[in-house]
Amino acid sequence: EPEVTQTPSHQVTQMGQEVILRCVPISNHLYFYWYRQILGQKVEFLVSFYNNEISEKSEIFDDQFSVERPDGSNFTLKIRSTKLEDSAMYFCASRVGTSDTQYFGPGTRLTVL
Amino acid sequence: GDSVTQMEGPVTLSEEAFLTINCTYTATGYPSLFWYVQYPGEGLQLLLKATKADDKGSNKGFEATYRKETTSFHLEKGSVQVSDSAVYFCALSDANSGNTPLVFGKGTRLSVIA
């Protein structure tokens, strides 16, 4: 069964460094999402992406964040200058156009020191 | 804006007990409703969904009915197992909100003891 994959599973970085989190959505899906979950808190929407552009973003998704689909398979989230409060689990999700069901990857745990 | 309120946890049950996790929602449109489950150390997995009023979603012995009159989508299971221990998230997707991002509740941690 096809699934969303994410790499790395765990990333440790120093404050102020740039990180890129990678996702490979399910191949026939058209809509892509990033969410984050700070430890012990709810899952929060960051950004959605369709047709090679951002379709919606939350207040959390400020100028430090960017997303890209550099080729036909990868979907990346970049944080330009990480802060301590960016430490969280980051989930990628995707869905086909004909259903509102989103399928999630296993997540990348980001730790900012 | 849209929101989801879930029963606070943690919930601890003995094996074969009946489970209810309450979920209510606020939405401007006619949302689809979901339950996702997060097993220890893993990502979010779709457990079940319902897309319109009075629909019942079901999977792996879990059920939830979309109640528009009470804006609720409570999760139930008649007999829980130790393997059901996980965090359960209620979520909604409102088609009126652009590219339908999911809005999650805070999650309810369930522990089932043998």
Side-chain angles (χ1 to χ4, degrees):
Chain A
E1 185 177 328
E3 55 184 22
V4 177
T5 60
Q6 290 185 243
T7 54
S9 57
H10 191 188
Q11 172 101 40
V12 181
T13 190
Q14 296 291 325
M15 193 168 54
Q17 295 296 303
E18 174 184 286
V19 294
I20 297 176
L21 310 183
R22 291 183 167 79
C23 169
V24 179
I26 295 173
S27 63
N28 63 332
H29 286 191
L30 301 176
Y31 297 83
F32 314 115
Y33 305 82
W34 283 101
Y35 293 83
R36 79 171 186 192
Q37 183 184 28
I38 294 172
L39 186 64
Q41 299 187 25
K42 67 165 69 175
V43 178
E44 301 172 292
F45 167 70
L46 293 178
V47 65
S48 58
F49 193 86
Y50 170 70
N51 201 25
N52 282 320
E53 59 183 25
I54 290 173
S55 47
E56 192 165 342
K57 58 184 181 179
S58 72
E59 295 174 351
I60 303 168
F61 194 87
D62 61 21
D63 292 344
Q64 293 300 312
F65 291 88
S66 62
V67 289
E68 195 177 35
R69 189 154 161 83
D71 52 42
S73 58
N74 288 284
F75 179 51
T76 62
L77 174 69
K78 181 193 291 186
I79 309 175
R80 257 178 276 282
S81 177
T82 51
K83 304 188 279 282
L84 294 176
E85 54 265 37
D86 293 327
S87 294
M89 181 74 91
Y90 288 80
F91 292 107
C92 174
S94 68
R95 70 175 177 96
V96 297
T98 53
S99 169
D100 54 9
T101 299
Q102 295 180 26
Y103 294 88
F104 283 76
T108 293
R109 180 168 297 285
L110 176 65
T111 302
V112 182
L113 303 176
Chain B
D2 296 348
S3 66
V4 174
T5 302
Q6 253 182 269
M7 169 177 157
E8 295 284 333
V11 173
T12 302
L13 294 174
S14 298
E15 208 165 22
E16 298 183 5
F18 184 85
L19 168 72
T20 301
I21 301 177
N22 290 336
C23 171
T24 57
Y25 68 89
T26 303
T28 52
Y30 299 94
S32 294
L33 302 174
F34 304 83
W35 278 99
Y36 281 84
V37 58
Q38 186 177 31
Y39 296 104
E42 299 185 16
L44 296 165
Q45 298 177 25
L46 177 67
L47 181 60
L48 53 84
K49 65 179 276 191
T51 57
K52 61 183 188 296
D54 300 325
D55 267 3
K56 179 186 282 189
S58 61
N59 186 24
K60 299 181 182 179
F62 291 89
E63 292 183 341
T65 301
Y66 190 142
R67 299 283 188 206
K68 187 164 176 286
E69 63 277 12
T70 54
T71 61
S72 65
F73 193 55
H74 304 322
L75 182 68
E76 296 182 336
K77 186 174 185 183
S79 176
V80 294
Q81 305 300 311
V82 171
S83 57
D84 294 326
S85 298
V87 181
Y88 292 82
F89 292 92
C90 185
L92 70 82
S93 171
D94 190 341
N96 291 326
S97 298
N99 194 0
T100 59
L102 286 166
V103 176
F104 285 88
K106 289 187 176 180
T108 303
R109 182 176 299 278
L110 170 67
S111 296
V112 181
I113 53 177

